[in-house]
Amino acid sequence: MAKQTTLTLQKMKEQGEKITMVTAYDYSSATLAQLAGIDTILVGDSLQMVMLGDDSTIACTMDTMVHHTKAVVKGAPETFIVMDMPFGSYNISQQQAIENASRLMKEGRGDAVKLEGGTDMEHVIKAVVDAGIPVVGHIGLTPQTTAKLGGFKVQGKGEAAKEVLEDALAVERAGACMIVLECVPGELAAFISEKLTIPTIGIGAGNKTDGQVLVYHDLLGLFDKFVPKFVKVYKNIGNEIVEGIKEYISDVKSSAFPEEKHIFGGVSKEDLKDL
């Protein structure tokens, strides 16, 4: 499959073709996602929760993002790779944002960086874009600021819809190539998707966005600490993995594994007598 770019993704929106995105964090999952034909992979700072067991994304660092992104890029070289900028890596100043975004591009080797925020981050997004780095925006429910938002709650209900729309317009105005809409009412997400010229990627935002994103581990039943309302579990591979490991444990306990075909030869009983 041909490598996706900001231009091909933009063309997909213009032609009404849905964009598929999955959040993945390592070489093996990225390899399988590309083999399946995914358009884009997001290396999310949610890895701090899914892979490292934390209760939030806050502790994720630039070093962690670089480490995981390099593995994903190796596993899916033909896929458009978006890299999350972790909390504290772009919030202090435009210069800080440019330096950290540049590091992700140079060391992670992905295709775009993603940062959270709307009108409050317009100047930062513009600065990073002006530095020659593609930016994906993220508005609505922004996981890095859930404490400020009062938890993992739907954003943009009722009169608050205007604020989310203004955030979306600010992100596009700043030069972002794409925008993630998380946990906003479906009607609002559809309205924003019509309003914007850049592609919108929904997660908990209805089916009228230009594309959808789900976490690899969520859609495959590999992470059951909590399952958000917007997640559809397509295959419950987690249960199959548990059953497989149980069978392995049973075989080892009973000496049924390894079988003869798994054992190396080359030494006879006579050889052992001479030792």
Side-chain angles (χ1 to χ4, degrees), residues 108-212:
R109 306 303 296 274
D111 301 294
V113 300
K114 181 172 76 66
L115 56 87
E116 298 179 3
T119 54
D120 58 329
M121 283 292 141
E122 181 177 358
H123 64 295
V124 175
I125 295 171
K126 184 178 188 308
V128 175
V129 171
D130 287 347
I133 301 169
V135 173
V136 175
H138 185 153
I139 64 169
L141 173 61
T142 45
Q144 292 176 5
T145 55
T146 50
K148 178 182 175 182
L149 297 174
F152 291 89
K153 297 180 178 180
V154 175
Q155 303 295 309
K157 288 184 175 181
E159 293 181 359
K162 182 179 180 182
E163 183 178 337
V164 175
L165 172 60
E166 289 174 350
D167 282 340
L169 293 172
V171 168
E172 179 174 72
R173 189 164 57 240
C177 63
M178 196 156 53
I179 186 169
V180 172
L181 307 177
E182 180 167 359
C183 288
V184 299
E187 298 88 345
L188 175 59
F191 183 80
I192 290 173
S193 298
E194 284 288 329
K195 201 85 170 172
L196 299 186
T197 59
I198 60 174
T200 59
I201 305 296
I203 179 166
N207 61 3
K208 296 296 193 295
T209 52
D210 299 308
Q212 297 289 330

Side-chain angles (χ1 to χ4, degrees), residues 63 66 69-70 83 102-110:
D63 287 344
V66 168
T69 301
K70 287 166 70 174
M83 309 169 287
S102 298
R103 181 186 172 197
L104 267 183
M105 294 295 288
K106 290 173 70 173
E107 297 181 36
R109 306 303 296 274

Side-chain angles (χ1 to χ4, degrees), residues 211-248:
Q212 297 289 330
V213 59
L214 282 179
V215 173
Y216 180 94
H217 296 70
D218 286 343
L219 71 91
L220 295 176
L222 294 169
F223 183 78
D224 62 359
K225 193 172 182 178
F226 62 90
V227 180
K229 173 183 173 66
F230 54 75
V231 168
K232 177 177 179 179
V233 179
Y234 284 84
K235 297 286 182 182
N236 208 329
I237 295 174
N239 287 344
E240 293 185 32
I241 291 173
V242 171
E243 290 305 311
I245 294 174
K246 283 182 177 179
E247 289 182 29
Y248 163 69

Side-chain angles (χ1 to χ4, degrees), residues 16-45:
E17 180 183 351
K18 294 287 188 178
I19 298 167
T20 58
M21 177 185 283
V22 67
T23 299
Y25 315 107
D26 57 35
Y27 174 85
S28 59
S29 57
T31 299
L32 294 174
Q34 178 169 283
L35 187 63
I38 204 76
D39 295 314
T40 62
I41 292 176
L42 167 64
V43 187
D45 59 359

